[in-house]
């Protein structure tokens, strides 16, 4: 029997300046979804009240009101899965709040509404009274823990692993459409394309190697995959974060920043201490309001982005791809005294001594 599956709406492709290399474009595609490391993600559960969706009753032409609230057992199942991700030692933390307007993650339990989540920082573009995540069936049942872990993975910025361009899966498309059009998913062909058959761009994938055991891989029965032959009998992920899943979240959310000052101050640099493919966040607390230059220098190829922390949320201010010239890896941005800023630096390659630092001046 086919399991209920998480479904995401298709998002429009972002636009970037022409001329970027595939490696840099991939980093920017992935990075746009990722939270600033060190962020406290506040989550809120919809309770009993007026929050609800009005949906049609199939075959009747009538409408019914379905509340977003869930029971305590449902809420505790989500809390437990949040703890499991947290206990990996990641650099973001979760805090439950009682006011939806204080929460980046707003979690509902609308029955028959499907299970889904905004992917990473896409949650910030959702209206403050709206859900960023829904669990549309009883997730306290046997085998449903993987559903909750999967949906929380989306909230971190992870995407569907079975859609990785590195998977090399050749589907029997019509068989997949037919399987998911029936119970319990009742998906349209468009939903199936978006969540199963469409191969992601390389820059959207969570890694450069496909991980069939990822918690972000859907389980499928036999007869849907034609090639590789070993998966004709189906896909059977473990339902828990795999070693590659853990590597992904720890790469983007390391438990501690590299050695250096807690905050950058003008004319004092901090060594990156990074290897190729790694990234780190540095804070800036400006002593005066003025235009600053924030950048990296040394023997490395980097991408740098500046965020402002306002009301507990990271807000993009400026970003720059250095085009392969590290001395030009800088942005000019106005910083205000008394506010806190985050400079995210991602390292691609090094040469010479490999010594590189970030600086504000």
């Amino acid at each position: 029997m086919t399991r209920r599956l998480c479904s995401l709406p298709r998002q429009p492709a972002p636009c970037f300046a022409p001329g970027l290399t595939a490696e840099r474009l991939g980093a920017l595609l992935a990075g746009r979804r990722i939270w600033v490391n060190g962020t406290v993600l506040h989550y809120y559960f919809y309770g009993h009240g007026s929050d609800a969706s009005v949906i049609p009753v199939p075959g009747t032409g009538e409408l019914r009101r379905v509340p977003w609230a869930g029971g305590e057992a449902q809420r505790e199942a989500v809390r437990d899965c949040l703890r499991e991700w947290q206990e990996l030692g990641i650099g973001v933390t979760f805090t439950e709040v009682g006011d939806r307007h204080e929460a980046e993650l707003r979690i509902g339990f609308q029955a028959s509404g499907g299970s889904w989540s905004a992917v990473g920082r896409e949650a910030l573009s959702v209206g403050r009274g709206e859900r960023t995540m829904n669990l549309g069936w009883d997730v306290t049942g046997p085998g449903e823990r993987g559903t909750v872990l999967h949906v929380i993975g989306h909230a971190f910025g992870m995407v569907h692993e079975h859609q990785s361009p590195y998977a090399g899966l050749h589907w029997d498309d019509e068989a997949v459409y037919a399987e998911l059009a029936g119970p319990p998913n009742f998906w349209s062909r468009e939903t199936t394309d978006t969540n199963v058959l469409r191969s992601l761009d390389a820059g959207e994938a969570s890694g450069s190697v496909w991980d069939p055991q990822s918690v972000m891989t859907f389980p499928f029965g036999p007869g849907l995959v034609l090639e590789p032959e070993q998966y004709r009998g189906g896909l059977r992920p473990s339902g828990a974060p795999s070693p590659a899943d853990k590597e992904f979240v720890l790469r983007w959310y390391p438990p501690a920043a590299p050695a250096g000052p807690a905050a950058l101050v003008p004319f004092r640099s901090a060594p990156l201490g990074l290897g190729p493919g790694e990234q780190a966040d540095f804070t800036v607390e400006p002593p005066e309001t003025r235009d600053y230059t924030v950048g990296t220098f040394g023997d490395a190829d980097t991408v740098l982005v500046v965020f402002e922390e306002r009301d507990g949320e990271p807000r993009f201010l400026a970003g720059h791809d250095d085009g392969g010239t590290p001395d030009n890896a800088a942005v000019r941005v106005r910083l205000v005294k008394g506010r806190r800023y985050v400079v995210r630096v991602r390292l691609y390659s090094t040469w010479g001594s490999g010594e590189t630092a970030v600086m504000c001046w």
Side-chain angles (χ1 to χ4, degrees):
M1 178 179 176
T2 301
R3 281 184 51 182
R4 296 183 178 94
L5 302 177
C6 158
S7 63
L8 302 180
R10 183 153 190 180
Q11 298 293 328
C15 295
F16 296 106
L20 297 178
T21 66
E23 182 182 39
R24 294 191 184 94
L25 183 59
L28 293 170
L29 280 169
R32 82 188 195 281
R33 302 186 302 257
I34 302 299
W35 300 97
V36 172
N37 194 42
T39 296
V40 177
L41 289 175
H42 305 86
Y43 64 94
Y44 166 82
F45 293 121
Y46 284 92
H48 297 287
S50 60
D51 299 302
S53 296
V54 177
I55 63 174
V57 179
T60 67
E62 299 178 353
L63 300 176
R64 65 187 177 106
R65 182 177 176 276
V66 183
W68 295 351
E72 180 57 27
Q74 294 270 76
R75 295 193 291 270
E76 187 55 35
V78 176
R79 294 187 190 105
D80 190 44
C81 288
L82 289 169
R83 283 191 290 268
E84 181 169 341
W85 281 111
Q86 184 73 70
E87 288 169 0
L88 296 178
I90 56 177
V92 295
T93 55
F94 297 102
T95 298
E96 186 172 348
V97 295
D99 184 343
R100 74 187 69 184
H101 300 291
E102 297 177 3
E104 294 81 22
L105 310 181
R106 297 178 294 280
I107 305 168
F109 299 90
Q110 179 201 332
S112 303
S115 289
W116 48 265
S117 172
V119 180
R121 294 178 59 244
E122 291 175 0
L124 298 179
S125 64
V126 177
R128 300 297 285 178
E130 298 296 319
R131 292 164 295 169
T132 68
M133 182 186 298
N134 191 74
L135 295 160
W137 54 83
D138 183 4
V139 293
T140 65
E144 294 295 347
R145 183 179 182 84
T147 299
V148 184
L149 291 166
H150 175 105
V151 174
I152 294 171
H154 285 313
F156 277 124
M158 302 173 76
V159 293
H160 286 148
E161 184 67 12
H162 53 274
Q163 294 180 266
S164 168
Y166 307 106
L169 295 175
H170 179 199
W171 300 92
D172 183 335
D173 292 6
E174 292 303 322
V176 175
Y177 287 134
E179 181 76 11
L180 297 181
N185 294 291
F186 300 105
W187 281 2
S188 67
R189 291 174 74 94
E190 180 182 6
T191 299
T192 299
D193 282 333
T194 298
N195 289 276
V196 180
L197 299 179
R198 181 180 76 90
S199 181
L200 300 173
D201 293 333
E204 296 178 275
S206 297
S208 58
V209 177
W210 179 47
D211 176 20
Q213 289 304 309
S214 170
V215 76
M216 305 309 293
T217 295
F218 281 169
F220 289 104
L224 303 180
V225 175
L226 300 176
E227 300 291 341
E229 184 177 357
Q230 69 193 91
Y231 297 112
R232 290 180 185 176
L235 297 176
R236 298 179 178 83
S238 66
S242 69
D245 293 332
K246 297 172 185 178
E247 180 183 347
F248 175 89
V249 293
L250 288 169
R251 181 172 76 247
W252 285 103
Y253 306 113
L264 296 175
V265 295
F267 306 107
R268 180 179 298 171
S269 63
L272 290 183
L274 300 175
E278 296 179 342
Q279 75 168 29
D281 292 345
F282 299 83
T283 59
V284 177
E285 298 171 358
E288 58 181 312
T289 299
R290 64 174 175 85
D291 290 340
Y292 290 82
T293 299
V294 183
T296 62
F297 60 94
D299 299 337
D301 182 6
T302 61
V303 165
L304 178 146
V305 182
V306 180
F307 298 90
E308 179 184 7
E309 291 193 356
R310 294 288 299 276
D311 302 324
E313 297 178 359
R315 299 182 182 180
F316 172 83
L317 282 185
H320 186 81
D321 186 289
D322 67 355
T325 306
D327 289 342
N328 293 328
V331 295
R332 190 73 173 167
V333 61
R334 188 165 188 81
L335 306 181
V336 178
K337 180 180 178 180
R339 296 182 184 173
R340 188 170 182 265
Y341 302 85
V342 174
V343 179
R344 169 173 292 165
V345 184
R346 187 163 178 82
L347 180 69
Y348 289 96
S349 60
T350 59
W351 56 86
S353 67
E355 295 178 358
T356 306
V358 61
M359 186 175 182
C360 175
W361 67 94

